[in-house]
Amino acid sequence: MPGWRGSPAGTTSRSRWRGCTGWRYVAEELAAAGVAAHVAEPAGTASARGRRRHARTGKTGSRHLRRLLAGGRLPECWIPPGHILEGRARLETHHDLRAGRTAWVQRIHAVFFPQGAAAPGDGALRTGRDLETLRAAAAAHLSPAGQLQVATAWDMPAGLQARLDVRRHRCCPPPGA
């Protein structure tokens, strides 16, 4: 698509498609080619079609979108500006890192429980002192395999937490920074 050229000089081009995975890439490429992008809202498009009597195909769906756009009745999705899309992407990355860290902490708790040891508290795996407490509890209560599991699992949230700290300052800078 990057090599695609827009319409001939002196004409205007518009493109329409139903909102789906990859819409951001398509919208950006069309805008770069000078084509007005229209992302159709799927539910609104379906209700504008009315009751289906036949199976919908790509050809009939495309015809339907073309007619709605030509008639000015295409129910459109809002295409956010680039800075909002970038902010969303940063927040998604932060969320994914946070979920990954939580999953590793839950794995640590899951190692303690079957071996009869008391699992560390919910907020007990955040500092260096917590790591020492965790190691002591693992040495006192867990088998060698359990200790290895906890040591391995601890490395993962620590690395994710370091990345989270960097991303947090990029995503949400502290006041006055």
Side-chain angles (χ1 to χ4, degrees), residues 77-154:
C77 293
W78 177 62
I79 301 175
H83 70 282
I84 293 190
L85 293 171
E86 288 301 312
R88 281 182 184 173
R90 282 193 295 271
L91 285 172
E92 285 173 8
T93 301
H94 179 81
H95 179 267
D96 292 343
L97 288 171
R98 189 82 191 134
R101 184 193 182 287
T102 300
W104 280 104
V105 169
Q106 288 172 344
R107 286 184 185 105
I108 291 171
H109 286 221
V111 170
F112 274 84
F113 180 73
Q115 296 192 27
D122 288 338
L125 299 175
R126 299 199 187 277
T127 66
R129 187 172 6 157
D130 295 340
L131 175 58
E132 294 306 318
T133 304
L134 180 69
R135 284 185 180 150
H141 301 290
L142 300 179
S143 68
Q147 293 175 29
L148 178 63
Q149 284 178 307
V150 168
T152 303
W154 175 257

Side-chain angles (χ1 to χ4, degrees), residues 12-174:
T12 59
S13 285
R14 299 188 308 175
S15 178
R16 77 280 176 250
W17 70 95
R18 186 172 288 120
C20 59
T21 303
W23 69 267
R24 178 182 176 186
Y25 169 75
V26 175
E28 288 172 352
E29 291 298 325
L30 288 171
V35 177
H38 298 273
V39 180
E41 197 276 318
T45 306
S47 67
R49 181 183 336 106
R51 198 166 152 222
R52 259 195 286 181
R53 291 179 215 81
H54 305 286
R56 193 183 83 211
T57 64
K59 188 175 181 179
T60 59
S62 180
R63 182 184 318 122
H64 177 65
L65 291 176
R66 184 179 64 243
R67 287 178 180 165
L68 287 174
L69 181 61
R73 298 175 302 140
L74 184 70
E76 293 191 52
C77 293
W78 177 62
I79 301 175
H83 70 282
I84 293 190
L85 293 171
E86 288 301 312
R88 281 182 184 173
R90 282 193 295 271
L91 285 172
E92 285 173 8
T93 301
H94 179 81
H95 179 267
D96 292 343
L97 288 171
R98 189 82 191 134
R101 184 193 182 287
T102 300
W104 280 104
V105 169
Q106 288 172 344
R107 286 184 185 105
I108 291 171
H109 286 221
V111 170
F112 274 84
F113 180 73
Q115 296 192 27
D122 288 338
L125 299 175
R126 299 199 187 277
T127 66
R129 187 172 6 157
D130 295 340
L131 175 58
E132 294 306 318
T133 304
L134 180 69
R135 284 185 180 150
H141 301 290
L142 300 179
S143 68
Q147 293 175 29
L148 178 63
Q149 284 178 307
V150 168
T152 303
W154 175 257
D155 292 339
M156 299 305 292
L160 290 172
Q161 186 63 48
R163 287 189 179 105
L164 271 168
D165 292 340
V166 170
R167 300 283 187 264
R168 184 178 301 121
H169 291 293
R170 284 186 189 165
C171 178
C172 312

